[in-house]
Amino acid sequence: MASDRIFGLVVTIVALAYVASATQIPLSLLSDPVGSRSFPYLIGGVMALCGVVVMLRPDPDPEWPALGTLGALLVTVIMLVAYAYALRPFGFLIPTAIASGVLSYQISQRVLPAVATGLGLSLGLFALFKYGLHLGLVAFPKGWF
């Protein structure tokens, strides 16, 4: 219950800071009936209300996952951050194959299916994004070919 109350307090404080920062939005010359500050006020108000509700009506204490599960989540986060940084220098195919292979291995600890999943997703997503959606993806680093 304490974790929910702390989370609700943090959400409420962030919402109030968001609303306070929305007061700094300059009014535009072409005003609409709602105004440029109304939407941020609405979002901040709903966020603050949700934070207060979480503080007043917390759930029972959660059962945190085992240490191994937290380790797997940490590996996943590190892999996704590394994937984001690797896309530009290494192109799309290699980082996508490695990241999807590692994440597939975490789901089912079998090497061959994880490698096949990594390669299949890499090639399939590249074809979909490049030729189906006409995105400007680079398959490999420019100096390789």
Side-chain angles (χ1 to χ4, degrees), residues 8-101:
L9 179 65
V10 169
V11 168
T12 304
I13 290 170
V14 169
L16 294 175
Y18 180 76
V19 170
S21 68
T23 61
Q24 304 301 316
I25 297 174
L27 294 175
S28 64
L29 296 174
L30 301 170
S31 63
D32 56 61
V34 177
S36 58
R37 295 180 185 164
S38 299
F39 185 69
Y41 286 163
L42 177 69
I43 296 296
V46 170
M47 190 173 162
L49 179 67
C50 290
V52 169
V53 167
V54 168
M55 280 191 299
L56 295 177
R57 300 190 61 197
D59 287 337
D61 284 332
E63 290 183 28
W64 291 94
L67 194 57
T69 304
L70 292 175
L73 288 173
L74 180 66
V75 168
T76 301
V77 169
I78 291 170
M79 175 56 57
L80 291 175
V81 169
Y83 173 70
Y85 280 106
L87 278 174
R88 185 170 299 268
F90 297 111
F92 182 82
L93 291 176
I94 295 170
T96 303
I98 292 170
S100 57

Side-chain angles (χ1 to χ4, degrees), residues 97 100-101 104 110-123:
S100 57
S104 174
R110 296 182 306 167
V111 174
L112 234 44
V115 170
T117 299
L119 292 174
L121 274 174
S122 180
L123 295 172

